[in-house]
Amino acid sequence: MTTDDRSWRRDREGLGVWNGRGKTAFAGWGMSPIDRRWDGVSMDRTLGEFCKIAAKNALDDAGLTPADVDGLFMCPDNMAGANSGISANWGPTRPYFAAPYDSEDGLTIVTNKWILANWPELNAKGNIKFAPDAVPAIGEGLGFTAQAVADGKCEVGLYIYTANNLDGRYRRGGSFAAPKAPGPSQWNNPWGANVIDLQLNTTFALTQYCQYYGTNWDDLMYPIVMTEHTNGLMNDWGFYTTNGASHLNREEYINSRPITTPAHIWDYDRPVNAAGAFVITTAARAKDMKQKPVYILNHNQGSGGAARSSSVTLDEYETFQRRVARMVYEGAGLEAKDIDIFNPYDGFSSFLPFSLEAFGWHGVGKGEATAFVNGDISVHGPHPYLSGGGNLGNGRTRTAMYIDSIEQLRGTAGKRQVTVKAETAICAFAPALSAAYLLLGTDPMS
Amino acid sequence: MPYIVPEPDAVSKPFWDAVQEKRLIVQNCTACNTMQYPPRPRCQECNSEALDWKETSGKGHILTFGILEDSHLPVRAADQPLNLAVVTLDDDPRINFYSNLPGTPVRQAVVGGAVEVTFEECPDGSLIHEWRMI
Ligand SMILES: [Zn+2]
């Protein structure tokens, strides 16, 4: 099993129940501090340092030491850059520093090689036996890690994910600044339709939704966005908790800076600089560990589908999201009525009505999201939607969905602990029509 | 408007050549008689490579629209706020095009409004297909 080999991926319907269902579990999670941006000079706040902090916190949470880890799953991607991904090309050439900070690696990206070279305790006993390169981003990467543990590649897998943000603006350079549109971009960039950035297709799917179902953006989205900010403030690690609350309200939301009208700035998650880490181990080992095990019942990757023409239509979007939901349920052998905690991905708020209705969480059907979210979706009410606060409520770490699901199922979510049953959870970093979901449970169901 | 200039490739060259003659053509599968846009090497419906080109009516309707106010594409950001509409083709509404709706002030586009094809000049003098409200 390598990251080049794609056979580990569960990326289509008809695969049946996952053969690893209930055989692995989350045993720990940890976060670094969250900065709005890396300032380019503070060596104690580089992503390399943040990875070590997050990993140590995850191991502490699991009651483990670095010597217990035998699988290292370091995602070397970075999300911010000129196009996305290459921070070195973002702005002016960065001054580098003495080793180990003499390249991007350790500053704004982190590879497994950097971690192993610069955190000697992690492999002090030669304990790391599996450390693949090119581990995917957190949505697919946690599934990859779970599959590796289920397949016996390692017994204690440490997955680390970084979010980077530097001075300047995200994704305004490179090919995005080019006066020409080659390849697939020739069909959208000429008109300013930058669909590589997923927000636009989903924005247009949601404007079609509002027209078709007779609702409007602000009535639908404000209760969702506000709930996320409220729930995020109940995380002690989130960006707004540690850097100051947003003080969002309906007036502020509606009048906030327009991006792609009708979407406002608060419909987009705030880029941050941080690292998160998770420990996944075997069900057998998890049973006797510090924390109550949270079993992984399914993982998925791939996509629900692609638009037939230039822009995705409402019908396509709904159809593809339902395919995603069927894949997620199929692999776990569960149905919508079985799901207690629902933390889908919210990098852009516009993803959320579609995932809610396609997964049918708490019985919400097509066109019913507006009524649902204008009811009681508070974390202590009957429908604790997005109990973790997601990216919108915590900053773009892409970890809140997982952390909250783990904590709710452990019963350790503190101020966020739901008052309804919390035995199963769906969580994701799955932009637009991505199928990168996890389904978790307190019962291994094996 | 300073459109970003499309770069034709082997599959799309006949399409862009026709646009330079102010004609809007789309691919048509001779195996299953299905039209498609953007052009692809194979038919999306039946996977055939037997793709021909077909003239369109040049008539369409606005499916939806937004207003670009803070685009990630700095070249187009100069025009903000900018209409960005999705226009369906009357010949087969499963086909849709992006459009800046030249001639329509922002916030005055109408969902369901009728449009017809027009051809606008790019900064390099080449033409690009666009849509005008009628
Ligand atoms: Zn065909």
Side-chain angles (χ1 to χ4, degrees):
Chain A
M1 180 185 179
T2 68
T3 41
D4 294 337
D5 162 22
R6 295 170 73 83
S7 63
W8 62 274
R9 291 163 62 87
R10 298 180 50 78
D11 56 4
R12 57 194 183 278
E13 286 188 85
L15 295 175
V17 171
W18 179 36
N19 64 8
R21 179 181 68 169
K23 293 179 181 168
T24 70
F26 279 103
W29 66 270
M31 283 298 299
S32 74
I34 305 179
D35 287 336
R36 177 76 168 98
R37 303 169 191 277
W38 183 51
D39 61 10
V41 293
S42 298
M43 306 318 290
D44 59 341
R45 304 189 84 81
T46 63
L47 281 189
E49 290 304 309
F50 277 5
C51 282
K52 288 191 248 177
I53 293 170
K56 286 172 186 169
N57 286 339
L59 291 170
D60 281 349
D61 185 47
L64 296 175
T65 68
D68 292 308
V69 176
D70 62 354
L72 174 62
F73 300 81
M74 181 71 236
C75 171
D77 291 358
N78 58 1
M79 58 181 83
N83 297 19
S84 81
I86 306 169
S87 296
N89 295 341
W90 183 332
T93 304
R94 166 198 328 294
Y96 287 109
F97 308 91
Y101 294 110
D102 49 356
S103 77
E104 283 309 306
D105 198 356
L107 294 176
T108 61
I109 62 167
V110 185
T111 64
N112 54 9
K113 290 178 183 60
W114 192 93
I115 285 282
L116 288 168
N118 293 288
W119 187 18
E121 300 93 316
L122 182 61
N123 196 26
K125 297 180 179 169
N127 41 295
I128 301 289
K129 62 182 189 186
F130 189 60
D133 292 329
V135 170
I138 191 164
E140 300 204 344
L142 286 171
F144 178 81
T145 305
Q147 187 69 56
V149 173
D151 289 350
K153 302 291 181 197
C154 56
E155 191 180 6
V156 176
L158 174 65
Y159 178 89
I160 309 175
Y161 187 68
T162 58
N164 68 343
N165 194 30
L166 306 175
D167 191 27
R169 298 200 73 185
Y170 237 66
R171 303 181 190 173
R172 292 293 196 288
S175 66
F176 285 12
K180 292 201 166 189
S185 74
Q186 70 188 289
W187 308 111
N188 44 64
N189 277 13
W191 301 271
N194 178 23
V195 292
I196 298 163
D197 226 0
L198 297 159
Q199 50 101 355
L200 189 66
N201 254 328
T202 310
T203 296
F204 280 159
L206 196 61
T207 56
Q208 291 172 68
Y209 175 103
C210 291
Q211 178 87 15
Y212 184 79
Y213 293 112
T215 185
N216 75 72
W217 187 286
D218 291 343
D219 287 348
L220 173 57
M221 299 317 304
Y222 169 69
I224 296 177
V225 175
M226 190 63 229
T227 295
E228 296 237 78
H229 281 255
T230 301
N231 294 349
L233 280 179
M234 291 188 268
N235 277 314
D236 58 8
W237 58 267
F239 175 80
Y240 295 106
T241 303
T242 57
N243 287 262
S246 64
H247 301 297
L248 186 64
N249 58 46
R250 189 178 173 94
E251 285 299 299
E252 161 68 18
Y253 173 79
I254 290 172
N255 296 317
S256 63
R257 185 156 65 84
I259 305 296
T260 301
T261 298
H264 321 273
I265 188 80
W266 291 110
D267 290 304
Y268 303 83
D269 54 352
R270 175 166 286 193
V272 295
N273 205 65
F278 296 86
V279 176
I280 295 177
T281 187
T282 61
R285 183 145 177 185
K287 269 190 303 196
D288 303 316
M289 286 173 61
K290 181 175 165 188
Q291 305 285 354
K292 178 181 166 185
V294 174
Y295 297 97
I296 301 171
L297 304 183
N298 188 25
H299 68 83
N300 292 97
Q301 296 77 32
S303 164
R308 187 180 187 281
S309 191
S310 305
S311 192
V312 69
T313 65
L314 173 61
D315 184 52
E316 286 176 326
Y317 209 101
E318 292 180 327
T319 300
F320 299 157
Q321 277 290 359
R322 283 199 298 278
R323 184 176 299 151
V324 167
R326 287 196 302 271
M327 287 164 60
V328 175
Y329 290 136
E330 179 190 359
L334 294 175
E335 302 171 28
K337 66 175 174 49
D338 302 319
I339 306 305
D340 303 325
I341 301 299
F342 191 54
N343 281 310
Y345 178 61
D346 63 339
F348 304 123
S349 68
S350 46
F351 300 151
L352 291 167
F354 293 112
S355 52
L356 175 64
E357 295 181 5
F359 279 83
W361 188 68
H362 281 213
V364 181
K366 282 172 77 168
E368 295 177 352
T370 308
F372 179 78
V373 303
N374 281 281
D376 184 358
I377 56 169
S378 70
V379 77
H380 301 128
H383 307 295
Y385 180 39
L386 303 158
S387 45
N391 272 7
L392 294 180
N394 295 285
R396 188 181 288 170
T397 64
R398 298 177 175 160
T399 55
M401 298 71 77
Y402 302 98
I403 291 170
D404 181 67
S405 298
I406 293 166
E407 289 200 309
Q408 296 289 357
L409 267 54
R410 284 178 178 172
T412 59
K415 286 182 280 185
R416 288 182 342 281
Q417 187 67 45
V418 300
T419 54
V420 297
K421 184 161 67 75
E423 295 176 358
T424 56
I426 282 175
C427 43
F429 161 51
L433 296 163
S434 160
Y437 282 76
L438 293 183
L439 204 156
L440 311 179
T442 53
D443 179 349
M445 303 175 65
S446 50
Chain B
M1 281 188 274
Y3 290 95
I4 294 171
V5 181
E7 277 191 358
D9 52 38
V11 174
S12 68
K13 186 168 187 308
F15 175 87
W16 291 113
D17 285 349
V19 166
Q20 303 319 305
E21 298 166 1
K22 300 194 174 185
R23 294 187 301 125
L24 183 70
I25 62 174
V26 295
Q27 279 180 319
N28 190 59
C29 174
T30 58
C32 74
N33 196 31
T34 301
M35 293 194 289
Q36 71 181 9
Y37 169 94
R40 292 180 166 84
R42 289 172 174 274
C43 172
Q44 295 174 99
E45 297 296 318
C46 74
N47 210 34
S48 169
E49 292 179 63
L51 294 163
D52 215 337
W53 296 94
K54 190 171 181 175
E55 295 280 340
T56 69
S57 65
K59 304 283 188 195
H61 285 83
I62 297 174
L63 175 66
T64 193
F65 67 92
I67 301 164
L68 294 180
E69 318 232 20
D70 189 6
S71 169
H72 273 187
L73 301 172
V75 175
R76 296 314 312 269
D79 295 329
Q80 290 168 176
L82 178 65
N83 285 322
L84 182 60
V86 179
V87 166
T88 57
L89 183 67
D90 286 356
D91 311 58
D92 181 350
R94 292 180 301 173
I95 287 177
N96 60 50
F97 301 85
Y98 288 110
S99 173
N100 297 139
L101 301 176
T104 301
V106 290
R107 295 172 232 288
Q108 292 189 25
V110 179
V111 170
V115 291
E116 64 184 10
V117 73
T118 182
F119 298 89
E120 298 284 319
E121 199 169 302
C122 293
D124 68 347
S126 63
L127 296 180
I128 190 166
H129 52 303
E130 263 290 17
W131 300 83
R132 264 181 204 281
M133 288 190 73
I134 52 177

